[in-house]
Amino acid sequence: MSNLFRSIFQTTTTTVDPLQLLYVLLVSLFLGLALSWTYRYRTLYTREFVISLTLLPSLMSLVIFLVNGSLGTSIAVAGTFSLIRFRSATSGSRELIAIFLAMIIGLAAGSGYLVLAVVATLFILGVWLLLENQQSRTVHQRRRHLTLTTSKQDGLEQTLQHLLPQSCSEVELISVSTSQSGQSLTIHYEVDLKPTVDDFQLTQKLLGTISDCDVALTKKAKKKKNL
């Protein structure tokens, strides 16, 4: 157990051992492959991101390996971890977690803690897969983001207040916006569908009751600009 927290680097000199460097790169590459496979599990992904995710731990390890025992380590870590904030502006939480874990793998392997990197990564990926499978066996999420676009109509608010509770156990008004000089309304709701109601039934009911309207239902939460 004591070997788990023992670095393979016994000196702080700048001499590079090619064999040690090979071990570090191979372990980082293996863990990167495991991470990318876990990320692809039940996820829509791009080939470019998966390749980047696979190679990122090795690149991070190489940077840390080359500056190991130097003051430049702190600068390298600060610079590489700034990539997380760069990606978080346009990425989802799953992608952000994958990048963050890739950084941790590279940092641990590059510092020489190969056993710790393997054990910690396999543990985290195992929990990730367990949560994915557990989520798929639970009751399907009935929370929806409802977007209703329609022309300005008299009594629209009263109609929605009467109609939505018939199909939804919970209704929360998020926002109301107008366009075309107030002649068009876009209304956003967060709703919980009743167990006996599905997306198509609610959509048909709204289309049949409100004239000249467009309906959008999605399980995905409206993405905010801040994390």
Side-chain angles (χ1 to χ4, degrees), residues 86-204:
F86 173 75
R87 291 289 302 184
S88 67
T90 57
S91 303
S93 57
R94 185 195 299 262
E95 191 176 20
L96 181 60
I97 290 175
I99 296 175
F100 191 76
L101 182 55
M103 295 282 191
I104 294 176
I105 293 172
L107 180 59
S111 299
Y113 299 100
L114 300 184
V115 178
L116 178 60
V118 172
V119 172
T121 302
L122 294 181
F123 173 76
I124 294 174
L125 295 183
V127 174
W128 190 340
L129 291 174
L130 180 64
L131 292 175
E132 288 284 357
N133 291 325
Q134 183 67 26
Q135 182 67 24
S136 65
R137 291 194 293 266
T138 58
V139 179
H140 292 296
Q141 179 183 349
R142 307 198 64 82
R143 189 76 171 177
R144 299 290 188 273
H145 183 85
L146 170 62
T147 303
L148 183 66
T149 305
T150 182
S151 58
K152 184 178 180 181
Q153 304 176 25
D154 295 332
L156 178 61
E157 181 181 359
Q158 290 75 12
T159 301
L160 291 173
Q161 289 178 352
H162 173 73
L163 181 62
L164 290 178
Q166 295 178 1
S167 303
C168 307
S169 58
E170 182 178 343
V171 179
E172 181 181 358
L173 178 63
I174 302 300
S175 65
V176 178
S177 59
T178 63
S179 60
Q180 300 178 1
S181 301
Q183 297 303 310
S184 179
L185 292 174
T186 301
I187 308 172
H188 295 275
Y189 286 97
E190 293 287 347
V191 300
D192 283 340
L193 298 180
K194 291 183 177 180
T196 57
V197 178
D198 59 25
D199 299 69
F200 294 101
Q201 292 174 341
L202 177 58
T203 301
Q204 291 299 325

Side-chain angles (χ1 to χ4, degrees), residues 5 14 18 20 54 74-75 124 141 170 174 191 197 213 218-219 227:
F5 301 99
T14 58
Q20 289 183 343
T54 303
S74 58
I75 301 176
I124 294 174
Q141 179 183 349
E170 182 178 343
I174 302 300
V191 300
V197 178
C213 72
T218 177
K219 291 182 179 181
L227 180 61

Side-chain angles (χ1 to χ4, degrees), residues 5 18 20 23 27 44 47 56 59 74 80 82 84 101 139 183 200 217-218:
F5 301 99
Q20 289 183 343
Y23 286 156
V27 171
L44 293 176
R47 183 184 62 179
L56 186 57
L59 297 177
S74 58
T80 51
S82 66
I84 298 176
L101 182 55
V139 179
Q183 297 303 310
F200 294 101
L217 276 172
T218 177

Side-chain angles (χ1 to χ4, degrees), residues 27-91:
V27 171
S28 300
L29 183 59
F30 167 77
L31 296 178
L33 288 170
L35 174 60
S36 64
W37 183 88
T38 305
Y39 173 80
R40 288 181 294 171
Y41 185 68
R42 294 181 178 175
T43 304
L44 293 176
Y45 60 89
T46 61
R47 183 184 62 179
E48 292 81 4
F49 180 72
V50 170
I51 294 176
S52 301
L53 195 61
T54 303
L55 298 178
L56 186 57
S58 298
L59 297 177
M60 180 72 172
S61 297
L62 186 58
V63 172
I64 300 301
F65 183 89
L66 293 176
V67 298
N68 188 44
S70 169
L71 182 62
T73 303
S74 58
I75 301 176
V77 171
T80 51
F81 271 80
S82 66
L83 292 174
I84 298 176
R85 180 57 189 168
F86 173 75
R87 291 289 302 184
S88 67
T90 57
S91 303

